Amino acid sequence: MGRSPCCSKEGLNRGAWTAMEDKILTDYIKAHGDGKWRSLPKAAGLKRCGKSCRLRWLNYLRPDIKRGNLTPDEQDLIIRLHRLLGNRWSLIAGRLPGRTDNEVKNYWNTKLSKKSTQPKESKFDKKSTTTRSPCNDHDDQAPTKVFRTKAIRLMSHQVRQVMINNTQQQQQQQQQQQQDDPDQNHIHDSNYNSTVESESTGGSSSSFSFLSKEENSSEYVTGFDIGGISFSEIFDFNDFCDVNNVIKGDIIGNPDESNTNLLLTEELMLENWNVGGGCDNQANMDSNFGSSASFLESGQDWMI
DNA sequence: AAGTGGGGCAACCGCCGAGCA
DNA sequence: ATGCTCGGCGGTTGCCCCACT
């Protein structure tokens, strides 16, 4: 026996929403706010399942929904995030302001999956559950494996701030190297006391630290673990540059600022892809993006 | 003009984890 | 500790439209 349906389907409308239903739902949510999806249909006088109402609101009726074709930049970002995150559409959509997971998913399944190739699984995928790939083009490949989203979200409740430190010596080294070769990919963010060096410079051992919410301490802790998983297992410090790019542009940056930051991140990511050796470095790229996925998961929870 | 196949997209389905009693 | 409810997610389905024959 399967599980019981989320709500009785008897007497409920199904299929496409009418303009009247849309108006009722919109008016109700504007007046009372969303949430309480189970009771909402009855309260609003809709003959719809609560889940259906939620989906309709989130995917279509929300005022901040951005309609229309995805821009080339958005398409490109979807491809890259998909390589990083797998079929975790909600996370990908979360990086595309105004776009819904359903829209991203549909777009991927109908268009981008044909454009994008997935040469190999990322390191990140190894700890994942197995799901069936939605992409028929890859049916002959191993099933896509992805992390379950919520397991990682726990992390964001425990860790509230990311601090990235370098020793003074390292900073001096980097300054020196920057003078020697300004084209190299050094990244410095004084606001967050982070200086991270790209692997193209040889991969120095930049350190980074975290402040826990509980401790609320100014002491930085390195080499901590989360739920028995050492952070060093997730991050490859030598390859941290790419992770930092994501942090700089996407996490620490205000996600609501949308395209400016979004594109900035894209440029940084692309820059490192190129600097890091392009296609020859694909394995590392996948590794790095896999590592950064855990940051992406937590979204603005990382921000203070 | 009618039939057919494919693309695009909205909506549904079932599973999972969090929260709560 | 356990069971239930709820919200959220990814996978899948089915309808509509359009291009092509």
Side-chain angles (χ1 to χ4, degrees):
Chain A
M1 281 290 287
R3 89 172 26 200
S4 60
C6 67
C7 50
S8 170
K9 291 181 172 53
E10 291 184 10
L12 295 183
N13 293 342
R14 293 170 59 85
W17 281 63
T18 65
M20 180 62 71
E21 287 177 316
D22 283 347
K23 185 176 187 312
I24 292 172
L25 179 59
T26 303
D27 289 346
Y28 182 87
I29 291 178
K30 280 180 180 175
H32 301 92
D34 60 5
K36 307 273 186 186
W37 295 109
R38 294 246 171 178
S39 57
L40 187 148
K42 191 174 181 180
L46 282 167
K47 292 182 178 180
R48 289 279 180 175
C49 170
K51 276 190 168 187
S52 183
C53 293
R54 173 184 165 271
L55 213 59
R56 183 65 177 172
W57 172 254
L58 292 179
N59 288 338
Y60 197 82
L61 297 176
R62 262 191 313 165
D64 56 337
I65 294 287
K66 189 192 293 181
R67 317 297 305 182
N69 294 336
L70 281 86
T71 67
D73 288 325
E74 287 175 319
Q75 296 173 28
D76 199 36
L77 184 57
I78 289 172
I79 291 173
R80 295 177 187 193
L81 287 173
H82 184 269
R83 176 173 295 168
L84 160 65
L85 298 166
N87 298 347
R88 298 157 78 194
W89 307 115
S90 61
L91 278 177
I92 295 173
R95 301 291 133 189
L96 293 163
R99 303 295 184 182
T100 67
D101 55 352
N102 211 31
E103 186 178 11
V104 171
K105 177 173 58 182
N106 284 334
Y107 199 79
W108 175 267
N109 287 338
T110 57
K111 291 182 180 177
L112 296 184
S113 62
K114 295 164 188 167
K115 286 170 62 177
S116 174
T117 58
Q118 295 177 297
K120 61 182 294 182
E121 287 184 5
S122 71
K123 182 169 83 177
F124 184 69
D125 289 338
K126 290 177 182 174
K127 294 179 180 180
S128 58
T129 57
T130 301
T131 60
R132 180 179 165 184
S133 168
C135 175
N136 293 335
D137 295 349
H138 305 304
D139 277 350
D140 55 336
Q141 297 177 356
T144 302
K145 294 180 174 184
V146 298
F147 255 139
R148 295 297 302 179
T149 303
K150 292 174 181 175
I152 303 298
R153 280 185 185 162
L154 291 172
M155 208 168 81
S156 67
H157 295 304
Q158 294 166 355
V159 181
R160 302 292 299 181
Q161 186 170 5
V162 183
M163 303 294 289
I164 302 170
N165 289 334
N166 265 13
T167 64
Q168 192 175 8
Q169 183 182 359
Q170 286 170 332
Q171 291 177 5
Q172 288 172 350
Q173 275 183 342
Q174 287 161 2
Q175 288 170 359
Q176 180 62 42
Q177 286 174 339
Q178 220 160 1
Q179 289 171 358
D180 293 344
D181 185 359
D183 290 332
Q184 283 189 332
N185 193 33
H186 301 278
I187 301 152
H188 179 70
D189 188 340
S190 58
N191 291 336
Y192 292 89
N193 191 28
S194 66
T195 306
V196 179
E197 185 172 293
S198 123
E199 67 179 352
S200 63
T201 66
S204 67
S205 57
S206 304
S207 67
F208 63 104
S209 312
F210 291 79
L211 290 177
S212 70
K213 182 172 71 173
E214 290 77 8
E215 290 175 349
N216 193 25
S217 164
S218 61
E219 292 182 7
Y220 304 153
V221 181
T222 58
F224 68 99
D225 61 72
I226 303 165
I229 302 173
S230 168
F231 204 74
S232 60
E233 292 178 15
I234 303 174
F235 280 100
D236 182 343
F237 286 88
N238 290 336
D239 297 339
F240 188 65
C241 57
D242 289 328
V243 176
N244 188 63
N245 284 345
V246 176
I247 297 169
K248 272 174 62 68
D250 217 0
I251 304 299
I252 290 177
N254 184 355
D256 294 333
E257 287 176 2
S258 72
N259 290 341
T260 305
N261 257 338
L262 186 131
L263 296 176
L264 197 64
T265 306
E266 278 292 282
E267 290 170 3
L268 285 166
M269 290 166 73
L270 180 61
E271 191 177 336
N272 263 283
W273 284 15
N274 295 333
V275 169
C279 295
D280 294 340
N281 205 33
Q282 186 68 41
N284 279 338
M285 279 164 44
D286 286 342
S287 170
N288 293 336
F289 286 149
S291 301
S292 60
S294 56
F295 276 114
L296 283 167
E297 305 243 14
S298 54
Q300 58 188 3
D301 279 354
W302 291 86
M303 300 169 59
I304 295 293

